[in-house]
Each structure stands twice: as structure tokens, then as C-alpha cells.
Amino acid sequence: SIYSRVWCAYEAFLAYSWDKRIDTAESPPRHPWPRVIRAMSAYLVITGIIFHQVPKRPEIVAITLFLIAFAGSTLVVTLV
């Protein structure tokens, strides 16, 4: 309704006059696939390097798999 939009404008006016930070919405990236492919490629390369360096003991492999999964998800979320 018009009243909710007027209220939003008033809130923005107050925030601006009180020197508050105003965050506005951004549109999503137009072409996210190159960033996704770059993130996944980096993840696969790092995973290969780590697995090449890890000894073949089961407990070390399990810990390494957990760390790779955590690092990979963090990398993808950060880059995308």
C-alpha cells in the first residue's frame, strides 16, 4: 500500500539524517557460471594436491576428507 512505502521513505530519510548506513538491494550477478567453474576448478586442484600428500592411513584420510569438504564449501560460498 502507499502507506507502507511512505513509511519506508520516512525511515530512509531518518537514517540518512542520523548518518546511519543504508544498505540497498543488489541485483544478482549476470553471469555466475565462470565464477562457479573457477571455484570448482580450484577446489578440485587443491583436493588433488592434498590427497597426493596425505599418507594412506584410514584415520588421516577421514580427517582429510572432512577438511576438504569444509574448505570446498567455504571456497564455493566465498567465490560465488
Side-chain angles (χ1 to χ4, degrees), residues 25-64:
E26 295 181 15
S27 61
R30 298 190 74 147
H31 303 289
W33 286 110
R35 294 180 75 184
V36 170
I37 292 171
R38 188 169 53 238
M40 291 307 295
S41 298
Y43 171 70
L44 290 174
V45 167
I46 292 169
T47 302
I49 291 170
I50 290 173
F51 259 110
H52 184 66
Q53 301 297 324
V54 170
K56 301 299 183 219
R57 294 194 343 230
E59 63 275 4
I60 301 292
V61 171
I63 293 170
T64 305

Side-chain angles (χ1 to χ4, degrees), residues 14-21:
L14 286 178
Y16 178 78
S17 59
W18 293 340
D19 294 324
K20 300 288 183 180
R21 190 176 98 185

